Amino acid sequence: MRGPLVAVAGAALVAPLLLAGPARADAAPYTVTPLTFTVEAGDRTCAVDADLYRPAGADAGNPAPAVLATNGFGGSKSDGSTDAIGRALAERGYAGLVYSGLGFGESGCLITLDDPAVDGQAASELLDFLGGVRAADDGTKADFVLRDAEGDPRVGMIGGSYGGAIQLATAAVDPRVDAIVPLITWNDLAYALAPNNTGATAGVTSDVPGVFKWQWANGFYLIGEGQPLLNPSLDPSRINRLDCLHFATRACETIRLLNSGRYPADRTKEMLTYARSVSPVSYLDRVKAPTLIVQGQADSLFNLNEATATYRTLKAQGTETKMIWQAWGHSGGQVPGELDLSRGNLETSHVGQRVLAWFDRYLRKNTGADTGPALSYYRDWRSGYGTAADVPALSQSLYLSGDGKLVDNRSKVARGSRHYTNWLVPTSHSESSIAPLIGLPDPKPYDTKGTYLAWRGEPLTEPLDVVGAPRATLKVDSPQAERVQHSGDASDKLVLFAKIYDVAPDGRRTLVNRLVSPVRVPDVTRPFTVELPGIVHRYEKGHRLEFVIAASDTAYFGNRGIKPVTVVHAPEDTGVLELPVVPAG
């Protein structure tokens, strides 16, 4: 059963990561040479399978800048999303080295989640090849790559998801990287796999373990464990042990702890430390290469908040950084005109133009290249991009009233209290579930009566454009949660899910990009803030905003035991919903 399930899940999960579709049939002005490299990566020696793209006319007398790229999770150098990078850029005069990441395709070694000390070090040895320091295993040399100095290639990186984080990891361990374009990737794996959208100490990172995102996490775990079956190999470096076939041991232990549903303090600290040690949040201070971040608005795996955390950290330390919020991500969202390398639309898509300008500026050293605004974001109501000098700040407040209304002034808050109770099974559904992965229909978002609370605003008198991450400040009462929250097991703390619907005049409710904000409340006796996922959305005239707190969600683990919740409101002490609103139009 393992093989078929992995194959089905792999096809479905990798598909949203694609930067391209089927290979082009027309002849391209470049050559492709398959190569193998033997590299040292952590405590193992690995064989890396790669393709070298050489643009026409490139030679020692007319060298070309280079681009290094690798696959998304579950892919390889040969899938449509990866080899298209080499093809598209070789057509535009860039040398390319496209390789299968460690543990994928025909490359050896374990999956170590883009650990800089392992995956980053392996990529650094490939930079040695591009810089003329070493040859491929068959003796091939890259004598046509432009160099800044002896052994220092002029090189950029690009790729999506798993192929995005590797760029940050490589740039952290090797200053020879000149520019990177990470797409739809993570800032903190501890947040991505078990998000807690309250109590952040920096960016998206919270010291209180979050709510396990079991569908995404276990889907990828199955894909990873299935690699030796999907790509049979006798390479011993690819096999760990029988109870953890293909991942590094600590990665398996992290997934097992999350699946256990119990988070004792000592084990949980170890889990968070490991997940963060292999995440950009732990090494961004070493990333100096100019970075163009591209993140998807339709992405329940790595949301816009992760990209924003990376952007703000890099910008604060002086690394040249800009950011694009495109329509598509891991959860779909592809729209006509967006980047699709298989169609060669770099010159006609917004993201493609920005990528070309980024590489033109930092790889071809064209100081006149316009790399665009600090932030651009896709607006589905305008079929194009808006721009901003920075991530929009919170600028408008609404208040949660005791009568279930969402009001625009604290003085309008009615006194009152309302209650909900969780069941032992999920009673709300928000994100796209695992159903599509096995060919089943995915239900629309829903909440079950008695297991959630909603506050609904008045019809808008004019359009409201929200660009960024809303934030709610809440205070709840849950005696059952209060009694057990200091047990030493974080899984005893109260779990809830916050989200904002767009309600049309006819009553139809839309959950923007089907995004939800999981929260594990550190202390129910104190107010807490909830950072909701970033969105780009126009609430049209006549529509209403609806803020919802739900007890559970099908894509996540929930509360241990029954924990009734009461929310009390009074004008002097009430919940607040803050929105990052930008001028309409």
Side-chain angles (χ1 to χ4, degrees):
M1 292 297 290
R2 178 188 292 264
L5 177 58
V6 169
V8 171
L13 285 173
V14 173
L17 314 187
L18 301 187
L19 295 176
R24 292 163 59 123
D26 52 300
Y30 53 81
T31 60
V32 183
T33 304
L35 298 174
T36 300
F37 299 88
T38 300
V39 302
E40 299 300 321
D43 62 353
R44 298 198 177 200
T45 299
C46 310
V48 173
D49 185 32
D51 285 335
L52 178 64
Y53 290 77
R54 180 172 183 164
D59 55 31
N62 185 35
V67 175
L68 180 67
T70 188
N71 50 276
F73 198 93
S76 72
K77 71 169 189 179
S78 302
D79 63 44
S81 63
T82 309
D83 77 326
I85 294 173
R87 291 187 282 109
L89 292 173
E91 288 175 350
R92 290 159 178 83
Y94 290 93
L97 186 61
V98 178
Y99 70 101
S100 297
L102 300 184
F104 296 104
E106 298 300 319
S107 289
C109 282
L110 303 176
I111 298 172
T112 51
L113 305 179
D114 281 340
D115 186 340
V118 182
D119 302 86
Q121 183 57 43
S124 179
E125 294 200 32
L126 299 182
L127 296 184
D128 288 342
F129 167 74
L130 294 173
V133 175
R134 62 164 294 175
D137 289 357
D138 67 356
T140 299
K141 295 184 178 180
D143 56 0
F144 56 90
V145 172
L146 184 63
R147 292 168 191 157
D148 291 318
E150 187 66 29
D152 183 359
R154 184 82 57 78
V155 60
M157 297 183 72
I158 185 173
S161 194
Y162 201 75
I166 185 58
Q167 300 172 53
L168 295 160
T170 306
V173 300
D174 198 324
R176 291 177 296 178
V177 178
D178 295 288
I180 59 176
V181 185
L183 295 94
I184 60 172
T185 197
W186 65 87
N187 172 268
D188 182 355
L189 272 179
Y191 172 85
L193 300 180
N196 192 14
N197 288 289
T198 190
T201 54
V204 295
T205 297
S206 172
D207 289 335
V208 177
V211 188
F212 182 37
K213 193 184 295 183
W214 72 271
Q215 291 187 0
W216 275 119
N218 284 314
F220 280 114
Y221 177 71
L222 287 174
I223 294 171
E225 286 295 76
Q227 286 302 303
L229 304 179
L230 296 173
N231 298 286
S233 172
L234 297 178
D235 183 349
S237 73
R238 295 185 56 150
I239 303 298
N240 186 359
R241 58 193 194 196
L242 291 178
D243 64 334
C244 184
L245 283 177
H246 205 47
F247 282 91
T249 300
R250 295 185 71 189
C252 288
E253 291 173 344
T254 298
I255 291 295
R256 292 196 187 101
L257 178 62
L258 290 168
N259 271 308
S260 74
R262 302 190 68 95
Y263 308 133
D266 55 343
R267 293 286 314 284
T268 300
K269 182 178 180 180
E270 182 182 349
M271 173 193 74
L272 294 177
T273 299
Y274 168 71
R276 287 175 183 145
S277 72
V278 297
S279 296
V281 66
S282 294
Y283 55 75
L284 283 175
D285 61 332
R286 292 180 277 151
V287 175
K288 307 303 179 184
T291 304
L292 178 62
I293 300 168
V294 183
Q295 203 79 348
Q297 295 171 25
D299 203 320
S300 59
L301 179 61
F302 307 135
N303 61 34
L304 296 182
N305 298 15
E306 297 222 50
T308 300
T310 298
Y311 169 80
R312 285 175 170 159
T313 299
L314 292 177
K315 188 175 180 182
Q317 70 189 29
T319 299
E320 179 63 27
T321 309
K322 294 185 178 181
M323 182 163 61
I324 304 171
W325 292 346
Q326 64 179 15
W328 61 267
H330 290 84
S331 304
Q334 183 78 42
V335 296
E338 287 279 74
L339 176 65
D340 183 345
L341 287 177
S342 69
R343 298 177 181 173
N345 68 339
L346 286 167
E347 285 82 6
T348 59
S349 64
H350 175 79
V351 174
Q353 291 170 355
R354 297 286 300 279
V355 170
L356 288 176
W358 201 254
F359 284 161
D360 194 24
R361 172 67 180 84
Y362 296 108
L363 300 186
R364 290 202 163 114
K365 301 300 183 183
N366 178 2
T367 57
D370 182 3
T371 59
L375 171 67
S376 59
Y377 50 90
Y378 181 77
R379 302 176 296 185
D380 59 1
W381 65 93
R382 293 288 294 271
S383 296
Y385 280 79
T387 64
D390 203 349
V391 178
L394 298 168
S395 56
Q396 182 169 322
S397 296
L398 298 171
Y399 302 90
L400 282 58
S401 180
D403 54 7
K405 293 181 179 179
L406 196 58
V407 298
D408 61 4
N409 191 296
R410 188 182 293 274
S411 65
K412 297 179 182 179
V413 172
R415 294 181 181 275
S417 62
R418 297 191 299 152
H419 318 270
Y420 72 83
T421 301
N422 66 290
W423 297 357
L424 294 180
V425 295
T427 54
S428 289
H429 178 71
S430 300
E431 299 178 356
S432 295
S433 73
I434 202 168
L437 306 185
I438 54 177
L440 298 177
D442 186 36
K444 295 180 179 179
Y446 64 81
D447 299 289
T448 302
K449 184 177 180 180
T451 66
Y452 76 99
L453 294 177
W455 293 262
R456 186 173 290 189
E458 293 296 321
L460 295 168
T461 58
E462 59 184 20
L464 184 73
D465 293 351
V466 176
V467 178
R471 183 175 67 191
T473 302
L474 304 173
K475 173 69 169 65
V476 302
D477 182 40
S478 178
Q480 285 86 341
E482 186 177 349
R483 282 196 294 269
V484 298
Q485 67 181 5
H486 299 301
S487 68
D489 188 332
S491 54
D492 284 328
K493 297 180 183 293
L494 177 69
V495 169
L496 57 82
F497 299 83
K499 47 195 171 181
I500 303 176
Y501 285 91
D502 180 336
V503 183
D506 62 4
R508 287 181 295 112
R509 301 162 77 233
T510 300
L511 183 58
V512 180
N513 288 322
R514 301 185 64 160
L515 297 174
V516 64
S517 183
V519 172
R520 190 180 298 278
V521 182
D523 185 348
V524 295
T525 67
R526 298 175 179 272
F528 57 95
T529 60
V530 178
E531 191 90 357
L532 282 90
I535 59 172
V536 177
H537 184 69
R538 167 168 285 186
Y539 294 86
E540 296 287 358
K541 179 180 178 180
H543 286 226
R544 301 169 184 252
L545 276 76
E546 182 181 63
F547 178 70
V548 169
I549 299 175
S552 62
D553 201 273
T554 54
Y556 297 83
F557 279 8
N559 288 288
R560 290 186 62 226
I562 302 298
K563 294 184 173 70
V565 172
T566 299
V567 181
V568 180
H569 298 292
E572 64 274 13
D573 180 21
T574 189
V576 181
L577 175 63
E578 299 173 273
L579 304 171
V581 176
V582 300

